PDB file of all heavy atoms in Angstrom:
ATOM      1  N   ILE A   1       0.844  -1.197   0.000  1.00 98.00           N
ATOM      2  CA  ILE A   1       0.000   0.000   0.000  1.00 98.00           C
ATOM      3  C   ILE A   1       0.879   1.247   0.000  1.00 98.00           C
ATOM      4  O   ILE A   1       0.594   2.211  -0.715  1.00 98.00           O
ATOM      5  CB  ILE A   1      -0.976  -0.009   1.193  1.00 98.00           C
ATOM      6  CG1 ILE A   1      -2.061  -1.072   0.953  1.00 98.00           C
ATOM      7  CG2 ILE A   1      -1.608   1.367   1.395  1.00 98.00           C
ATOM      8  CD1 ILE A   1      -2.960  -1.323   2.156  1.00 98.00           C
ATOM      9  N   GLN A   2       1.970   1.220   0.761  1.00 98.00           N
ATOM     10  CA  GLN A   2       2.898   2.358   0.767  1.00 98.00           C
ATOM     11  C   GLN A   2       3.512   2.574  -0.621  1.00 98.00           C
ATOM     12  O   GLN A   2       3.678   3.711  -1.058  1.00 98.00           O
ATOM     13  CB  GLN A   2       3.992   2.152   1.813  1.00 98.00           C
ATOM     14  CG  GLN A   2       3.472   2.271   3.224  1.00 98.00           C
ATOM     15  CD  GLN A   2       4.503   1.881   4.279  1.00 98.00           C
ATOM     16  OE1 GLN A   2       5.566   1.348   3.971  1.00 98.00           O
ATOM     17  NE2 GLN A   2       4.177   2.136   5.528  1.00 98.00           N
ATOM     18  N   LYS A   3       3.824   1.484  -1.326  1.00 98.00           N
ATOM     19  CA  LYS A   3       4.340   1.590  -2.702  1.00 98.00           C
ATOM     20  C   LYS A   3       3.298   2.241  -3.610  1.00 98.00           C
ATOM     21  O   LYS A   3       3.624   3.073  -4.455  1.00 98.00           O
ATOM     22  CB  LYS A   3       4.691   0.203  -3.262  1.00 98.00           C
ATOM     23  CG  LYS A   3       5.923  -0.416  -2.698  1.00 98.00           C
ATOM     24  CD  LYS A   3       6.132  -1.784  -3.332  1.00 98.00           C
ATOM     25  CE  LYS A   3       7.193  -2.564  -2.604  1.00 98.00           C
ATOM     26  NZ  LYS A   3       7.325  -3.941  -3.134  1.00 98.00           N
ATOM     27  N   ILE A   4       2.050   1.835  -3.447  1.00 98.00           N
ATOM     28  CA  ILE A   4       0.972   2.381  -4.282  1.00 98.00           C
ATOM     29  C   ILE A   4       0.773   3.861  -3.988  1.00 98.00           C
ATOM     30  O   ILE A   4       0.636   4.668  -4.907  1.00 98.00           O
ATOM     31  CB  ILE A   4      -0.327   1.570  -4.087  1.00 98.00           C
ATOM     32  CG1 ILE A   4      -0.140   0.145  -4.627  1.00 98.00           C
ATOM     33  CG2 ILE A   4      -1.510   2.271  -4.756  1.00 98.00           C
ATOM     34  CD1 ILE A   4      -1.233  -0.839  -4.225  1.00 98.00           C
ATOM     35  N   VAL A   5       0.776   4.238  -2.711  1.00 97.00           N
ATOM     36  CA  VAL A   5       0.619   5.646  -2.339  1.00 97.00           C
ATOM     37  C   VAL A   5       1.746   6.473  -2.955  1.00 97.00           C
ATOM     38  O   VAL A   5       1.515   7.541  -3.531  1.00 97.00           O
ATOM     39  CB  VAL A   5       0.579   5.823  -0.804  1.00 97.00           C
ATOM     40  CG1 VAL A   5       0.690   7.289  -0.414  1.00 97.00           C
ATOM     41  CG2 VAL A   5      -0.696   5.214  -0.228  1.00 97.00           C
ATOM     42  N   ALA A   6       2.991   5.977  -2.864  1.00 97.00           N
ATOM     43  CA  ALA A   6       4.137   6.692  -3.440  1.00 97.00           C
ATOM     44  C   ALA A   6       3.995   6.801  -4.956  1.00 97.00           C
ATOM     45  O   ALA A   6       4.276   7.857  -5.546  1.00 97.00           O
ATOM     46  CB  ALA A   6       5.435   5.982  -3.074  1.00 97.00           C
ATOM     47  N   TRP A   7       3.537   5.745  -5.603  1.00 97.00           N
ATOM     48  CA  TRP A   7       3.358   5.761  -7.062  1.00 97.00           C
ATOM     49  C   TRP A   7       2.291   6.781  -7.438  1.00 97.00           C
ATOM     50  O   TRP A   7       2.472   7.561  -8.377  1.00 97.00           O
ATOM     51  CB  TRP A   7       2.969   4.370  -7.560  1.00 97.00           C
ATOM     52  CG  TRP A   7       2.918   4.277  -9.045  1.00 97.00           C
ATOM     53  CD1 TRP A   7       3.917   3.871  -9.873  1.00 97.00           C
ATOM     54  CD2 TRP A   7       1.816   4.625  -9.901  1.00 97.00           C
ATOM     55  NE1 TRP A   7       3.501   3.935 -11.183  1.00 97.00           N
ATOM     56  CE2 TRP A   7       2.217   4.402 -11.225  1.00 97.00           C
ATOM     57  CE3 TRP A   7       0.536   5.103  -9.665  1.00 97.00           C
ATOM     58  CZ2 TRP A   7       1.378   4.637 -12.311  1.00 97.00           C
ATOM     59  CZ3 TRP A   7      -0.302   5.342 -10.740  1.00 97.00           C
ATOM     60  CH2 TRP A   7       0.126   5.106 -12.043  1.00 97.00           C
ATOM     61  N   VAL A   8       1.172   6.788  -6.707  1.00 96.00           N
ATOM     62  CA  VAL A   8       0.086   7.727  -6.993  1.00 96.00           C
ATOM     63  C   VAL A   8       0.574   9.165  -6.806  1.00 96.00           C
ATOM     64  O   VAL A   8       0.281  10.042  -7.630  1.00 96.00           O
ATOM     65  CB  VAL A   8      -1.159   7.423  -6.123  1.00 96.00           C
ATOM     66  CG1 VAL A   8      -2.163   8.563  -6.165  1.00 96.00           C
ATOM     67  CG2 VAL A   8      -1.815   6.122  -6.585  1.00 96.00           C
ATOM     68  N   ASP A   9       1.325   9.420  -5.737  1.00 96.00           N
ATOM     69  CA  ASP A   9       1.864  10.770  -5.517  1.00 96.00           C
ATOM     70  C   ASP A   9       2.762  11.204  -6.670  1.00 96.00           C
ATOM     71  O   ASP A   9       2.665  12.336  -7.153  1.00 96.00           O
ATOM     72  CB  ASP A   9       2.640  10.836  -4.197  1.00 96.00           C
ATOM     73  CG  ASP A   9       1.739  10.786  -2.977  1.00 96.00           C
ATOM     74  OD1 ASP A   9       0.517  11.029  -3.115  1.00 96.00           O
ATOM     75  OD2 ASP A   9       2.251  10.489  -1.874  1.00 96.00           O
ATOM     76  N   ALA A  10       3.636  10.310  -7.135  1.00 96.00           N
ATOM     77  CA  ALA A  10       4.528  10.627  -8.257  1.00 96.00           C
ATOM     78  C   ALA A  10       3.733  10.843  -9.543  1.00 96.00           C
ATOM     79  O   ALA A  10       4.033  11.748 -10.329  1.00 96.00           O
ATOM     80  CB  ALA A  10       5.552   9.508  -8.442  1.00 96.00           C
ATOM     81  N   TYR A  11       2.708  10.031  -9.767  1.00 95.00           N
ATOM     82  CA  TYR A  11       1.862  10.175 -10.951  1.00 95.00           C
ATOM     83  C   TYR A  11       1.169  11.530 -10.939  1.00 95.00           C
ATOM     84  O   TYR A  11       1.091  12.214 -11.963  1.00 95.00           O
ATOM     85  CB  TYR A  11       0.834   9.045 -10.991  1.00 95.00           C
ATOM     86  CG  TYR A  11      -0.004   9.019 -12.248  1.00 95.00           C
ATOM     87  CD1 TYR A  11       0.403   8.271 -13.347  1.00 95.00           C
ATOM     88  CD2 TYR A  11      -1.201   9.726 -12.331  1.00 95.00           C
ATOM     89  CE1 TYR A  11      -0.373   8.230 -14.503  1.00 95.00           C
ATOM     90  CE2 TYR A  11      -1.979   9.690 -13.480  1.00 95.00           C
ATOM     91  CZ  TYR A  11      -1.557   8.942 -14.564  1.00 95.00           C
ATOM     92  OH  TYR A  11      -2.314   8.910 -15.714  1.00 95.00           O
ATOM     93  N   ARG A  12       0.683  11.926  -9.765  1.00 94.00           N
ATOM     94  CA  ARG A  12       0.010  13.226  -9.644  1.00 94.00           C
ATOM     95  C   ARG A  12       0.975  14.386  -9.906  1.00 94.00           C
ATOM     96  O   ARG A  12       0.560  15.423 -10.417  1.00 94.00           O
ATOM     97  CB  ARG A  12      -0.600  13.381  -8.256  1.00 94.00           C
ATOM     98  CG  ARG A  12      -1.824  12.542  -8.031  1.00 94.00           C
ATOM     99  CD  ARG A  12      -2.309  12.718  -6.619  1.00 94.00           C
ATOM    100  NE  ARG A  12      -3.450  11.877  -6.322  1.00 94.00           N
ATOM    101  CZ  ARG A  12      -3.801  11.528  -5.105  1.00 94.00           C
ATOM    102  NH1 ARG A  12      -3.114  11.956  -4.060  1.00 94.00           N
ATOM    103  NH2 ARG A  12      -4.856  10.753  -4.916  1.00 94.00           N
ATOM    104  N   GLU A  13       2.226  14.225  -9.551  1.00 95.00           N
ATOM    105  CA  GLU A  13       3.216  15.273  -9.845  1.00 95.00           C
ATOM    106  C   GLU A  13       3.431  15.407 -11.346  1.00 95.00           C
ATOM    107  O   GLU A  13       3.563  16.516 -11.858  1.00 95.00           O
ATOM    108  CB  GLU A  13       4.540  14.969  -9.153  1.00 95.00           C
ATOM    109  CG  GLU A  13       4.510  15.246  -7.664  1.00 95.00           C
ATOM    110  CD  GLU A  13       5.844  14.994  -6.999  1.00 95.00           C
ATOM    111  OE1 GLU A  13       6.892  15.062  -7.689  1.00 95.00           O
ATOM    112  OE2 GLU A  13       5.850  14.729  -5.786  1.00 95.00           O
ATOM    113  N   ARG A  14       3.445  14.267 -12.046  1.00 94.00           N
ATOM    114  CA  ARG A  14       3.631  14.287 -13.499  1.00 94.00           C
ATOM    115  C   ARG A  14       2.367  14.718 -14.239  1.00 94.00           C
ATOM    116  O   ARG A  14       2.443  15.275 -15.328  1.00 94.00           O
ATOM    117  CB  ARG A  14       4.063  12.896 -13.995  1.00 94.00           C
ATOM    118  CG  ARG A  14       5.433  12.472 -13.558  1.00 94.00           C
ATOM    119  CD  ARG A  14       5.894  11.186 -14.249  1.00 94.00           C
ATOM    120  NE  ARG A  14       4.924  10.103 -14.265  1.00 94.00           N
ATOM    121  CZ  ARG A  14       4.800   9.168 -13.320  1.00 94.00           C
ATOM    122  NH1 ARG A  14       5.560   9.203 -12.249  1.00 94.00           N
ATOM    123  NH2 ARG A  14       3.897   8.207 -13.449  1.00 94.00           N
ATOM    124  N   HIS A  15       1.227  14.418 -13.653  1.00 92.00           N
ATOM    125  CA  HIS A  15      -0.077  14.715 -14.267  1.00 92.00           C
ATOM    126  C   HIS A  15      -0.941  15.410 -13.212  1.00 92.00           C
ATOM    127  O   HIS A  15      -1.824  14.785 -12.614  1.00 92.00           O
ATOM    128  CB  HIS A  15      -0.766  13.424 -14.728  1.00 92.00           C
ATOM    129  CG  HIS A  15       0.081  12.560 -15.597  1.00 92.00           C
ATOM    130  ND1 HIS A  15       0.266  12.806 -16.932  1.00 92.00           N
ATOM    131  CD2 HIS A  15       0.815  11.454 -15.319  1.00 92.00           C
ATOM    132  CE1 HIS A  15       1.060  11.884 -17.436  1.00 92.00           C
ATOM    133  NE2 HIS A  15       1.411  11.057 -16.482  1.00 92.00           N
ATOM    134  N   PRO A  16      -0.717  16.713 -12.987  1.00 92.00           N
ATOM    135  CA  PRO A  16      -1.424  17.424 -11.916  1.00 92.00           C
ATOM    136  C   PRO A  16      -2.948  17.366 -12.060  1.00 92.00           C
ATOM    137  O   PRO A  16      -3.491  17.362 -13.157  1.00 92.00           O
ATOM    138  CB  PRO A  16      -0.929  18.864 -12.052  1.00 92.00           C
ATOM    139  CG  PRO A  16       0.358  18.764 -12.795  1.00 92.00           C
ATOM    140  CD  PRO A  16       0.221  17.587 -13.702  1.00 92.00           C
ATOM    141  N   ARG A  17      -3.605  17.331 -10.924  1.00 89.00           N
ATOM    142  CA  ARG A  17      -5.057  17.313 -10.853  1.00 89.00           C
ATOM    143  C   ARG A  17      -5.537  18.661 -10.330  1.00 89.00           C
ATOM    144  O   ARG A  17      -4.927  19.237  -9.440  1.00 89.00           O
ATOM    145  CB  ARG A  17      -5.543  16.223  -9.886  1.00 89.00           C
ATOM    146  CG  ARG A  17      -5.132  14.809 -10.286  1.00 89.00           C
ATOM    147  CD  ARG A  17      -5.841  14.463 -11.561  1.00 89.00           C
ATOM    148  NE  ARG A  17      -5.702  13.085 -11.965  1.00 89.00           N
ATOM    149  CZ  ARG A  17      -4.990  12.701 -13.015  1.00 89.00           C
ATOM    150  NH1 ARG A  17      -4.280  13.563 -13.687  1.00 89.00           N
ATOM    151  NH2 ARG A  17      -4.979  11.452 -13.395  1.00 89.00           N
ATOM    152  N   GLU A  18      -6.636  19.139 -10.867  1.00 87.00           N
ATOM    153  CA  GLU A  18      -7.231  20.378 -10.374  1.00 87.00           C
ATOM    154  C   GLU A  18      -7.838  20.169  -9.001  1.00 87.00           C
ATOM    155  O   GLU A  18      -7.785  21.027  -8.139  1.00 87.00           O
ATOM    156  CB  GLU A  18      -8.333  20.846 -11.330  1.00 87.00           C
ATOM    157  CG  GLU A  18      -8.016  22.160 -11.981  1.00 87.00           C
ATOM    158  CD  GLU A  18      -9.132  22.587 -12.908  1.00 87.00           C
ATOM    159  OE1 GLU A  18     -10.240  22.888 -12.420  1.00 87.00           O
ATOM    160  OE2 GLU A  18      -8.871  22.621 -14.118  1.00 87.00           O
ATOM    161  N   LYS A  19      -8.424  19.015  -8.814  1.00 86.00           N
ATOM    162  CA  LYS A  19      -9.132  18.740  -7.571  1.00 86.00           C
ATOM    163  C   LYS A  19      -9.046  17.247  -7.262  1.00 86.00           C
ATOM    164  O   LYS A  19      -9.122  16.422  -8.158  1.00 86.00           O
ATOM    165  CB  LYS A  19     -10.595  19.157  -7.734  1.00 86.00           C
ATOM    166  CG  LYS A  19     -11.463  18.880  -6.539  1.00 86.00           C
ATOM    167  CD  LYS A  19     -12.894  19.328  -6.797  1.00 86.00           C
ATOM    168  CE  LYS A  19     -13.742  19.030  -5.578  1.00 86.00           C
ATOM    169  NZ  LYS A  19     -15.125  19.428  -5.755  1.00 86.00           N
ATOM    170  N   LEU A  20      -8.892  16.928  -5.968  1.00 88.00           N
ATOM    171  CA  LEU A  20      -8.986  15.547  -5.522  1.00 88.00           C
ATOM    172  C   LEU A  20     -10.319  15.372  -4.807  1.00 88.00           C
ATOM    173  O   LEU A  20     -10.818  16.289  -4.161  1.00 88.00           O
ATOM    174  CB  LEU A  20      -7.839  15.202  -4.577  1.00 88.00           C
ATOM    175  CG  LEU A  20      -6.451  15.202  -5.197  1.00 88.00           C
ATOM    176  CD1 LEU A  20      -5.401  14.896  -4.134  1.00 88.00           C
ATOM    177  CD2 LEU A  20      -6.358  14.203  -6.336  1.00 88.00           C
ATOM    178  N   PHE A  21     -10.881  14.205  -4.904  1.00 83.00           N
ATOM    179  CA  PHE A  21     -12.200  13.929  -4.359  1.00 83.00           C
ATOM    180  C   PHE A  21     -12.098  13.055  -3.117  1.00 83.00           C
ATOM    181  O   PHE A  21     -11.107  12.363  -2.918  1.00 83.00           O
ATOM    182  CB  PHE A  21     -13.069  13.242  -5.420  1.00 83.00           C
ATOM    183  CG  PHE A  21     -13.253  14.085  -6.640  1.00 83.00           C
ATOM    184  CD1 PHE A  21     -12.364  14.014  -7.707  1.00 83.00           C
ATOM    185  CD2 PHE A  21     -14.310  14.976  -6.726  1.00 83.00           C
ATOM    186  CE1 PHE A  21     -12.523  14.805  -8.830  1.00 83.00           C
ATOM    187  CE2 PHE A  21     -14.478  15.777  -7.842  1.00 83.00           C
ATOM    188  CZ  PHE A  21     -13.580  15.687  -8.904  1.00 83.00           C
ATOM    189  N   GLN A  22     -13.133  13.079  -2.295  1.00 82.00           N
ATOM    190  CA  GLN A  22     -13.194  12.206  -1.130  1.00 82.00           C
ATOM    191  C   GLN A  22     -14.142  11.032  -1.350  1.00 82.00           C
ATOM    192  O   GLN A  22     -14.249  10.162  -0.508  1.00 82.00           O
ATOM    193  CB  GLN A  22     -13.609  12.996   0.114  1.00 82.00           C
ATOM    194  CG  GLN A  22     -12.526  13.939   0.560  1.00 82.00           C
ATOM    195  CD  GLN A  22     -12.805  14.529   1.931  1.00 82.00           C
ATOM    196  OE1 GLN A  22     -13.904  14.447   2.457  1.00 82.00           O
ATOM    197  NE2 GLN A  22     -11.789  15.121   2.507  1.00 82.00           N
ATOM    198  N   THR A  23     -14.804  11.019  -2.470  1.00 77.00           N
ATOM    199  CA  THR A  23     -15.678   9.903  -2.816  1.00 77.00           C
ATOM    200  C   THR A  23     -15.221   9.333  -4.151  1.00 77.00           C
ATOM    201  O   THR A  23     -14.512   9.979  -4.916  1.00 77.00           O
ATOM    202  CB  THR A  23     -17.146  10.353  -2.940  1.00 77.00           C
ATOM    203  OG1 THR A  23     -17.229  11.368  -3.944  1.00 77.00           O
ATOM    204  CG2 THR A  23     -17.673  10.893  -1.630  1.00 77.00           C
ATOM    205  N   SER A  24     -15.634   8.121  -4.431  1.00 76.00           N
ATOM    206  CA  SER A  24     -15.283   7.477  -5.690  1.00 76.00           C
ATOM    207  C   SER A  24     -15.947   8.190  -6.854  1.00 76.00           C
ATOM    208  O   SER A  24     -17.057   8.707  -6.722  1.00 76.00           O
ATOM    209  CB  SER A  24     -15.720   6.016  -5.663  1.00 76.00           C
ATOM    210  OG  SER A  24     -15.088   5.338  -4.609  1.00 76.00           O
ATOM    211  N   LEU A  25     -15.277   8.196  -7.984  1.00 71.00           N
ATOM    212  CA  LEU A  25     -15.840   8.771  -9.207  1.00 71.00           C
ATOM    213  C   LEU A  25     -16.637   7.710  -9.941  1.00 71.00           C
ATOM    214  O   LEU A  25     -16.420   6.510  -9.747  1.00 71.00           O
ATOM    215  CB  LEU A  25     -14.715   9.274 -10.108  1.00 71.00           C
ATOM    216  CG  LEU A  25     -13.846  10.392  -9.542  1.00 71.00           C
ATOM    217  CD1 LEU A  25     -12.702  10.684 -10.502  1.00 71.00           C
ATOM    218  CD2 LEU A  25     -14.659  11.635  -9.302  1.00 71.00           C
ATOM    219  N   PRO A  26     -17.546   8.106 -10.827  1.00 70.00           N
ATOM    220  CA  PRO A  26     -18.228   7.107 -11.663  1.00 70.00           C
ATOM    221  C   PRO A  26     -17.176   6.325 -12.455  1.00 70.00           C
ATOM    222  O   PRO A  26     -16.219   6.908 -12.970  1.00 70.00           O
ATOM    223  CB  PRO A  26     -19.101   7.949 -12.590  1.00 70.00           C
ATOM    224  CG  PRO A  26     -19.243   9.270 -11.906  1.00 70.00           C
ATOM    225  CD  PRO A  26     -17.990   9.464 -11.112  1.00 70.00           C
ATOM    226  N   GLU A  27     -17.350   5.029 -12.508  1.00 70.00           N
ATOM    227  CA  GLU A  27     -16.351   4.194 -13.175  1.00 70.00           C
ATOM    228  C   GLU A  27     -16.653   4.034 -14.654  1.00 70.00           C
ATOM    229  O   GLU A  27     -17.801   4.000 -15.065  1.00 70.00           O
ATOM    230  CB  GLU A  27     -16.276   2.825 -12.510  1.00 70.00           C
ATOM    231  CG  GLU A  27     -15.684   2.900 -11.129  1.00 70.00           C
ATOM    232  CD  GLU A  27     -15.285   1.545 -10.598  1.00 70.00           C
ATOM    233  OE1 GLU A  27     -15.492   0.524 -11.283  1.00 70.00           O
ATOM    234  OE2 GLU A  27     -14.741   1.511  -9.485  1.00 70.00           O
ATOM    235  N   LEU A  28     -15.586   3.917 -15.406  1.00 62.00           N
ATOM    236  CA  LEU A  28     -15.684   3.573 -16.812  1.00 62.00           C
ATOM    237  C   LEU A  28     -15.862   2.065 -16.901  1.00 62.00           C
ATOM    238  O   LEU A  28     -15.692   1.350 -15.925  1.00 62.00           O
ATOM    239  CB  LEU A  28     -14.423   4.030 -17.537  1.00 62.00           C
ATOM    240  CG  LEU A  28     -14.088   5.522 -17.375  1.00 62.00           C
ATOM    241  CD1 LEU A  28     -12.732   5.832 -17.973  1.00 62.00           C
ATOM    242  CD2 LEU A  28     -15.169   6.381 -17.988  1.00 62.00           C
TER     243      LEU A  28
END
């Protein structure tokens, strides 16, 4: 889980998000 959190943080740095959500988004 720590690896995944670190990967997600790095991904967000490369692909910035305008907003993060506290609930799940509709899935594709």
